Amino acid sequence: HGPARAQLLWRLGMLTHLDGDLGQAVRLLETARAEAGEDHGLAAEATRRLAGLYGLQGRIDDSVRCWRVALDAARMAGDRRAELETLCYGHSAVLVGAATAAELRDRIERLTGTAGSFAPHEDPEGFLAWLHLLMGQPAAAAGPLERVCRRAAEQGEEMGLAEASVLMAQAELAAGNWERARQLAGEVRSAGRRADVSRSFGFDLYITSLVEAYLGNLDQARAAATALVELAEHRGLVPLLWQGRAVLGFVSLCSGDPEDAHAQFGSVTGSMRQLGVREWGLVHLVWSDLDALVELGELGQAAVLAEDMRSRACSMGRGLELATAERGRGLVLAAQGDFAAAHAALRQSLAEHERLGWPFERART
């Protein structure tokens, strides 16, 4: 018993997660944290990784609690590198507003220059890019992701290449560079096969379904998203389940089935609300529930959703969510016959879009 055993346990836990058994991985990490004892650096190591696994299970409160404990342990150890590494496990904290994306970005940027180099799959620039995408800033994400992808390719680090390429593909979709996004999705599939991480992350299924949905290849998108949902349900991967169902909802909307679209979107938003998630940018396709509700004639629900989105977007400074909320409000007003107010809302949506650089979303408005 003790620190040496803890070192082995947290490594075994992460390998077990990569092999597809998230529940057993959590149990191993919990034991590793207990074995660390008064070794604050080791406790921070095990606890921050446990925070990440709890987040994948949808145990958001447990994830945030562990993240905070790990930060305290890193500071008690006086280890700035461990503090930086722990900050980059703050996904759940951002999702529920325990820390803002901008706050984490600033803290990470202050520490990055003092911590040395990282393996590509744990490079803080990857987490910074995720924050930029969450905040609707794909252009800011591109530079860091290009650097991580280049280093991962040079080092033959397949997991880092897959992770960064998934985010890069999302940035390219946002910029309207869809063929480049499709190429990156192919690279994700290749890297995922070589690293054999599909069972634990579903990188390949998610980005394939997303890109094909945007391109209008609905059968391919539906097949990949369905496989992603099945994987997520089998492995207990809650964020992946949200992403898969959001793509299925978008595919149904594009296929002329607003009833199924609303069912898919509603399952995602209901789960996120239940868990206290405030940042919906992680699965921004769920905003298309506005379109589905209007098509179903559920104008009251659509108006409530648009106002909820508008309020959250204003408080958090989310331009894309605000633009989408105004578009949804315009759709509701038009369906109610108030065309003057609808035009005003849609013009407001376009004004927001002019600053964002998401050409597809602007085209929808």
Side-chain angles (χ1 to χ4, degrees), residues 49-237:
R49 293 178 185 277
L50 182 58
L53 298 187
Y54 279 155
L56 291 175
Q57 287 185 318
R59 297 169 60 177
I60 303 297
D61 290 342
D62 288 337
S63 177
V64 174
R65 176 177 50 78
C66 276
W67 180 73
R68 286 172 167 158
V69 168
L71 272 180
D72 289 342
R75 289 169 182 151
M76 289 177 66
D79 189 336
R80 292 171 65 86
R81 182 184 175 92
E83 182 180 354
L84 174 58
E85 290 174 328
T86 304
L87 288 170
C88 294
Y89 276 78
H91 301 78
S92 294
V94 174
L95 293 181
V96 297
T100 69
E103 173 193 357
L104 275 192
R105 177 199 61 202
D106 294 344
R107 292 171 69 183
I108 289 168
E109 287 177 344
R110 283 197 297 270
L111 288 170
T112 298
T114 66
S117 61
F118 290 83
H121 76 278
E122 294 191 327
D123 195 311
E125 288 204 300
F127 183 67
L128 285 174
W130 181 81
L131 291 174
H132 285 305
L133 288 174
L134 204 63
M135 292 187 287
Q137 301 167 349
L145 289 172
E146 287 173 356
R147 290 191 289 272
V148 176
C149 282
R150 183 168 57 249
R151 288 182 51 241
E154 290 170 352
Q155 297 177 21
E157 217 258 55
E158 307 293 0
M159 187 182 299
L161 185 60
E163 288 180 348
S165 295
V166 166
L167 295 174
M168 178 68 83
Q170 293 176 67
E172 296 289 7
L173 283 175
N177 302 323
W178 289 1
E179 283 304 321
R180 175 57 181 151
R182 196 176 199 179
Q183 293 171 6
L184 285 163
E187 292 176 15
V188 172
R189 290 192 295 272
S190 296
R193 283 193 296 269
R194 292 192 296 268
D196 195 22
V197 296
S198 297
R199 286 173 294 181
S200 49
F201 294 106
F203 291 147
D204 51 347
L205 294 172
Y206 172 58
I207 199 59
T208 296
S209 68
L210 188 65
V211 170
E212 297 300 337
Y214 271 108
L215 288 170
N217 300 322
L218 301 184
D219 289 341
Q220 296 94 316
R222 185 182 291 108
T226 299
L228 179 61
V229 167
E230 292 172 354
L231 170 70
E233 288 178 335
H234 181 64
R235 300 294 183 189
L237 299 163

Side-chain angles (χ1 to χ4, degrees), residues 109-361:
E109 287 177 344
R110 283 197 297 270
L111 288 170
T112 298
T114 66
S117 61
F118 290 83
H121 76 278
E122 294 191 327
D123 195 311
E125 288 204 300
F127 183 67
L128 285 174
W130 181 81
L131 291 174
H132 285 305
L133 288 174
L134 204 63
M135 292 187 287
Q137 301 167 349
L145 289 172
E146 287 173 356
R147 290 191 289 272
V148 176
C149 282
R150 183 168 57 249
R151 288 182 51 241
E154 290 170 352
Q155 297 177 21
E157 217 258 55
E158 307 293 0
M159 187 182 299
L161 185 60
E163 288 180 348
S165 295
V166 166
L167 295 174
M168 178 68 83
Q170 293 176 67
E172 296 289 7
L173 283 175
N177 302 323
W178 289 1
E179 283 304 321
R180 175 57 181 151
R182 196 176 199 179
Q183 293 171 6
L184 285 163
E187 292 176 15
V188 172
R189 290 192 295 272
S190 296
R193 283 193 296 269
R194 292 192 296 268
D196 195 22
V197 296
S198 297
R199 286 173 294 181
S200 49
F201 294 106
F203 291 147
D204 51 347
L205 294 172
Y206 172 58
I207 199 59
T208 296
S209 68
L210 188 65
V211 170
E212 297 300 337
Y214 271 108
L215 288 170
N217 300 322
L218 301 184
D219 289 341
Q220 296 94 316
R222 185 182 291 108
T226 299
L228 179 61
V229 167
E230 292 172 354
L231 170 70
E233 288 178 335
H234 181 64
R235 300 294 183 189
L237 299 163
V238 173
L240 278 184
L241 182 60
W242 294 340
Q243 291 171 328
R245 290 206 178 279
V247 174
L248 285 176
F250 186 71
V251 169
S252 290
L253 184 67
C254 294
S255 302
D257 188 352
E259 186 172 356
D260 184 68
H262 174 55
Q264 298 287 354
F265 293 139
S267 70
V268 177
T269 56
S271 175
M272 290 196 296
R273 287 194 177 102
Q274 184 179 14
L275 294 174
V277 174
R278 299 180 66 238
E279 280 277 14
W280 288 13
L282 177 69
V283 281
H284 68 270
L285 284 180
V286 298
W287 300 337
S288 293
D289 199 19
L290 287 166
D291 304 70
L293 287 167
V294 171
E295 289 194 33
L296 291 170
E298 300 289 350
L299 303 184
Q301 286 188 57
V304 169
L305 178 57
E307 179 55 31
D308 175 42
M309 289 172 57
R310 191 195 68 80
S311 175
R312 189 171 56 245
C314 289
S315 67
M316 301 172 69
R318 297 290 180 268
L320 181 61
E321 191 166 356
L322 179 57
T324 307
E326 290 295 334
R327 179 171 73 222
R329 197 164 68 88
L331 289 171
V332 172
L333 290 164
Q336 293 172 334
D338 191 345
F339 300 121
H343 274 290
L346 293 169
R347 282 195 294 270
Q348 180 61 38
S349 179
L350 281 178
E352 291 295 328
H353 279 302
E354 293 296 339
R355 304 185 293 103
L356 294 172
W358 290 62
F360 180 66
E361 292 300 325

